[in-house]
């Protein structure tokens, strides 16, 4: 038993080194993209955002969505489904329950005998 523990203890530094070698490049890539993609828009980018909304409204008025290919439409549907799923997951987490909100004073789960 003692030999087994010594072998496992000897593997510890090697496992840490391998884990570090694998994790560091992936974390560097993650932080590279996170700095760009996860930050809020800067005031200098607001005109681009406004132009995007104007273009979206213009596309809806001209029924540009009718000219989408099946592949583009299916990708748009998948993105919409993903956004909806994340919204509902956030709602469940926020409520703390799968169904209904727990309103203090309105909910009584105690047994009345």
């Amino acid at each position: 038993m003692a030999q087994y523990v010594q072998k496992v203890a000897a593997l510890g530094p090697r496992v840490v080194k391998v884990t570090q070698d694998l994790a560091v490049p992936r974390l560097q890539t993650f932080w590279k993209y996170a700095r760009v993609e996860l930050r809020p828009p800067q005031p200098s980018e607001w005109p681009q955002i406004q132009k995007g909304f104007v273009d979206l409204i213009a596309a809806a008025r001209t029924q540009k969505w009718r000219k989408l290919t099946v592949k583009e439409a299916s990708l748009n549907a998948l993105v919409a489904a993903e956004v909806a799923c994340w919204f509902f997951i956030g709602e469940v987490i926020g409520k703390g329950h799968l169904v209904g909100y727990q309103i203090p004073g309105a909910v009584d789960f105690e047994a009345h005998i």
Side-chain angles (χ1 to χ4, degrees):
M1 180 69 177
Q3 292 174 347
Y4 179 72
V5 171
Q6 287 176 348
K7 286 181 183 180
V8 171
L11 284 177
R14 218 169 86 198
V15 170
V16 169
K17 174 93 170 93
V18 169
T19 303
Q20 183 180 8
D21 290 344
L22 290 173
V24 167
R26 289 184 173 110
L27 285 172
Q28 287 173 341
T29 303
F30 169 78
W31 284 115
K32 175 182 148 186
Y33 290 114
R35 279 189 215 105
V36 175
E37 298 294 332
L38 298 178
R39 68 170 174 77
Q42 302 295 318
S44 62
E45 297 171 337
W46 291 352
Q48 295 172 343
I49 295 168
Q50 184 179 11
K51 183 183 180 304
F53 280 120
V54 169
D55 291 345
L56 182 66
I57 292 170
R61 285 184 182 156
T62 60
Q63 296 182 351
K64 189 176 178 182
W65 53 270
R66 294 176 126 191
K67 296 179 177 95
L68 289 176
T69 64
V70 173
K71 183 177 180 179
E72 290 171 334
S74 60
L75 286 175
N76 288 345
L78 285 173
V79 169
E82 180 184 6
V83 169
C85 286
W86 282 114
F87 170 77
F88 291 124
I89 289 169
E91 280 288 307
V92 169
I93 291 170
K95 289 186 296 190
H97 294 277
L98 194 57
V99 178
Y101 287 94
Q102 306 300 324
I103 301 169
V107 179
D108 187 13
F109 291 115
E110 295 179 20
H112 299 285
I113 298 177

